[in-house]
């Protein structure tokens, strides 16, 4: 199951740009409140073990100063009264920006892009969080490595959804 809070167009496209690239981290509170208002019942009923943000490549995160998916995930975890597990996975490749790639190139770009870190924590159900959902390539790649770690139930929430996809 997956959900997206906003359509990625118009003013939301501009807000996402500021959230990602202009250090407008305070937007996370508004985004999380909207997510909770729209999907609070769904989020409560998931009963996940942890909220897991899609990791950003370390060098890119150092340059930007933060991972916008993690910032949003932290707010969602607080609202869900659930822990955020930011160290479950690592992005091992500095992938090209997906907005410039077609579906096939996105999948190729994300091959072996994520790796599960060794940890003693067993998670059965998680909620993956990312900023923008377009084709599902990122979530598919992350879900695959989480399944290899034994996660049996994977839910997904994104701030926005683009490319003509349907907001649920």
């Amino acid at each position: 199951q997956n959900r997206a809070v906003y359509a990625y167009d118009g003013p939301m496209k501009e807000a996402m740009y500021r959230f990602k690239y202009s250090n407008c981290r305070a937007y996370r509170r508004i985004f999380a409140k909207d997510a909770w208002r729209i999907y609070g019942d769904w989020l409560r009923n998931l009963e996940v073990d942890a909220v897991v943000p899609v990791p950003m490549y370390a060098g890119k995160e150092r340059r930007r100063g933060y991972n916008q998916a993690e910032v949003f995930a932290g707010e969602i975890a607080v609202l869900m009264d659930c822990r955020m597990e930011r160290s479950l996975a690592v992005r091992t490749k500095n992938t090209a920006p997906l907005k410039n790639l077609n579906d096939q190139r996105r999948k190729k770009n994300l091959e072996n892009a994520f790796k599960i870190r060794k940890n003693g924590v067993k998670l059965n159900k998680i909620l993956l969080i990312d900023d923008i959902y377009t084709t599902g390539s990122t979530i598919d790649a992350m879900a695959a490595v989480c399944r290899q770690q034994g996660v049996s139930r994977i839910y997904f929430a994104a701030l926005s959804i683009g490319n003509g996809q349907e907001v649920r």
Side-chain angles (χ1 to χ4, degrees):
Q1 296 179 15
N2 59 69
R3 303 288 187 270
V5 184
Y6 309 105
Y8 185 66
D9 60 15
M12 190 59 213
K13 198 171 192 175
E14 296 168 25
M16 286 297 298
Y17 184 87
R18 289 189 301 272
F19 182 54
K20 287 177 76 157
Y21 302 113
S22 297
N23 200 21
C24 291
R25 289 182 245 187
Y27 286 12
R28 72 186 184 273
R29 291 183 190 95
I30 296 164
F31 296 158
K33 283 180 185 175
D34 282 352
W36 194 253
R37 179 180 47 80
I38 298 166
Y39 298 121
D41 289 340
W42 178 72
L43 291 166
R44 271 188 294 277
N45 291 329
L46 293 179
E47 297 180 352
V48 295
D49 300 320
V51 174
V52 179
V54 171
M56 182 181 266
Y57 186 70
K60 189 181 288 185
E61 186 172 346
R62 275 192 302 277
R63 284 190 302 279
R64 188 173 297 169
Y66 62 101
N67 173 351
Q68 68 279 355
E70 183 179 321
V71 167
F72 176 60
E75 290 293 314
I76 293 297
V78 167
L79 291 169
M80 292 178 72
D81 192 24
C82 181
R83 72 178 184 175
M84 180 176 69
E85 187 62 59
R86 72 176 300 273
S87 60
L88 176 68
V90 63
R91 194 174 205 131
T92 57
K93 274 175 53 177
N94 187 13
T95 54
L98 299 181
K99 64 184 177 183
N100 302 324
L101 306 176
N102 65 28
D103 292 359
Q104 189 175 31
R105 292 186 66 204
R106 285 172 188 246
K107 287 180 180 152
K108 184 73 174 162
N109 186 43
L110 287 164
E111 281 180 9
N112 302 312
F114 300 106
K115 180 179 160 190
I116 294 294
R117 293 181 179 171
K118 296 288 182 214
N119 64 36
V121 178
K122 173 66 173 136
L123 300 172
N124 293 312
K125 292 195 308 186
I126 62 171
L127 173 64
L128 289 177
I129 300 278
D130 205 3
D131 57 351
I132 302 171
Y133 176 95
T134 306
T135 64
S137 297
T138 302
I139 188 63
D140 289 346
M142 267 296 291
V145 297
C146 290
R147 280 191 200 98
Q148 291 170 1
Q149 185 65 21
V151 178
S152 59
R153 290 243 157 140
I154 301 168
Y155 304 95
F156 175 69
L159 268 175
S160 60
I161 190 165
N163 210 23
Q165 301 290 329
E166 180 180 321
V167 178
R168 296 184 63 181

